[in-house]
Amino acid sequence: MKFPKTYTLKEISEIIDADFVGDDAFPVLGMNEIHVVEEGDIVFVDHPKYYDKALQSKATVVLINKEVECPEGKALLVSDDPFRDFNKLTRYFKPFETAASSIADSAQIGEGTIVQPNVFIGNHVKIGKNCVIHPNVTIYDGCLLGDNVIIHAGTVLGADAFYYKNRPEGFDRLLSGGNVVIGDNVDIGAGCTIDRGVTGSTTIKEGAKLDNQIQVGHDTVIGKKCLIASHVGIAGCCVIEDEVTLWGQVGITSGATIGKKAVILAQSGISKSLEGGKTYFGYPAEEAREKLKQIASIKKIPEILKKLKKI
């Protein structure tokens, strides 16, 4: 998330009432999660296990719960609760806007686009040319759709990320200030849910085709010409590279990368990143031929045990 202007370190510290280490006028350009952070951004960290990762990231400002040695060229915001204060910044720069109508006045809808009855289009949404938005689709604030996009009935674009901090009094939600970006010539089936990014974008690139009832988590990127069958669940922060095929009921863990032109067979579970250009199956998913050989070998175990008993 980029700020509308450059802020100083001192100005940001005053917004969240935190101490800081660095020059008062140190420039701050935005805020992001660790996996999408850029130079000029704030990143937050609240566990010693991840201090080094945050301090050595591209972020130039680290919102942290302990004053530590600050790397050269960077600054610190020192807070007793970085998670809470990251939420404060999201509220400040991306406050919730109520809806005054089913299609916001600030929404932009391209020439030739058809919007069927009972569609909700939120504030600052942009929809390209020659799209078809079927009944009961919900498009939350700030989402961007390209040209020739088809969204089938009941799909939701831009709901909050499933991201919580476990506190003694209950789960504390990390606010979502990002959006969903849909490329040209994308089809999304009925009843799909595409969550917005926490600070960045959940992205489905040009030519991807999604079946019905698919869940895509926050900040995930789906590449060009991907084919995804129904009941697939993709967790947050995944990268699905170009021309990947995911068959029905595939589940993918958070942060995994699926390489270009990989094929994942139905009901497979992905617990780690996988190379492209191969076909995978099972849980944990492995190359399909190897996995099928393993299954065939398991079926032979009773016969082998019978033979051993006769010896």
Side-chain angles (χ1 to χ4, degrees):
M1 181 198 304
K2 294 303 179 188
F3 299 152
K5 66 172 187 175
T6 299
Y7 283 74
T8 66
L9 184 65
K10 188 174 188 298
E11 287 173 328
I12 296 296
S13 74
E14 290 171 348
I15 292 170
I16 60 176
D17 192 23
D19 296 327
F20 63 90
V21 176
D23 187 86
D24 286 14
F26 191 92
V28 187
L29 308 181
M31 56 187 285
N32 266 313
E33 278 194 290
I34 187 71
H35 63 283
V36 291
V37 77
E38 298 176 349
E39 188 174 340
D41 285 348
I42 301 168
V43 71
F44 86 92
V45 60
D46 57 5
H47 194 289
K49 180 179 178 181
Y50 303 110
Y51 282 177
D52 284 345
K53 185 176 181 181
L55 291 165
Q56 301 306 319
S57 72
K58 292 181 180 179
T60 45
V61 181
V62 180
L63 176 58
I64 192 169
N65 57 347
K66 179 182 178 181
E67 187 170 333
V68 297
E69 185 176 350
C70 183
E72 186 177 352
K74 299 195 177 189
L76 303 179
L77 289 161
V78 183
S79 161
D80 63 329
D81 192 335
F83 188 98
R84 176 201 66 211
D85 288 341
F86 202 75
N87 273 346
K88 280 186 184 178
L89 290 173
T90 301
R91 285 193 189 95
Y92 185 88
F93 290 106
K94 280 289 180 74
F96 178 75
E97 296 184 50
T98 58
S101 60
S102 58
I103 299 178
D105 291 339
S106 59
Q108 299 178 29
I109 300 174
E111 183 181 354
T113 287
I114 297 169
V115 178
Q116 297 282 61
N118 298 323
V119 168
F120 175 82
I121 299 175
N123 300 296
H124 314 298
V125 168
K126 294 182 181 179
I127 300 175
K129 299 176 182 179
N130 302 315
C131 299
V132 180
I133 314 298
H134 285 281
N136 301 312
V137 167
T138 297
I139 305 176
Y140 280 65
D141 291 3
C143 292
L144 307 176
L145 281 66
D147 299 334
N148 306 308
V149 172
I150 299 174
I151 311 289
H152 283 279
T155 283
V156 177
L157 304 182
D160 283 348
F162 187 71
Y163 194 140
Y164 294 86
K165 183 178 180 65
N166 191 2
R167 300 188 187 274
E169 63 273 18
F171 291 105
D172 190 3
R173 178 167 54 94
L174 186 67
L175 299 180
S176 298
N179 68 348
V180 173
V181 177
I182 307 295
D184 296 342
N185 303 305
V186 169
D187 294 353
I188 299 178
C192 294
T193 47
I194 318 294
D195 292 344
R196 69 176 51 240
V198 170
T199 52
S201 299
T202 302
T203 304
I204 301 177
K205 294 186 178 180
E206 180 180 354
K209 308 298 181 185
L210 279 64
D211 196 1
N212 304 324
Q213 297 180 333
I214 292 166
Q215 159 68 16
V216 179
H218 68 90
D219 296 285
T220 281
V221 177
I222 295 175
K224 296 178 181 179
K225 292 180 64 179
C226 287
L227 191 66
I228 304 178
S230 65
H231 293 183
V232 167
I234 304 173
C237 307
C238 292
V239 176
I240 313 299
E241 295 185 352
D242 295 348
E243 298 182 58
V244 167
T245 299
L246 305 176
W247 291 119
Q249 296 186 336
V250 166
I252 303 177
T253 193
S254 177
T257 295
I258 310 299
K260 185 176 181 178
K261 294 188 177 182
V263 177
I264 316 296
L265 300 182
Q267 294 191 323
S268 296
I270 312 302
S271 59
K272 61 180 182 180
S273 296
L274 299 175
E275 293 180 14
K278 299 178 180 179
T279 299
Y280 298 91
F281 174 65
Y283 181 81
E286 299 177 48
E287 286 193 60
R289 287 184 181 181
E290 180 61 30
K291 200 71 173 183
L292 292 170
K293 285 179 184 178
Q294 293 173 13
I295 293 170
S297 297
I298 290 169
K299 288 181 178 180
K300 294 178 182 178
I301 290 174
E303 183 181 342
I304 293 170
L305 290 175
K306 283 181 183 179
K307 289 180 179 179
L308 288 173
K309 285 180 181 180
K310 292 179 181 179
I311 296 175

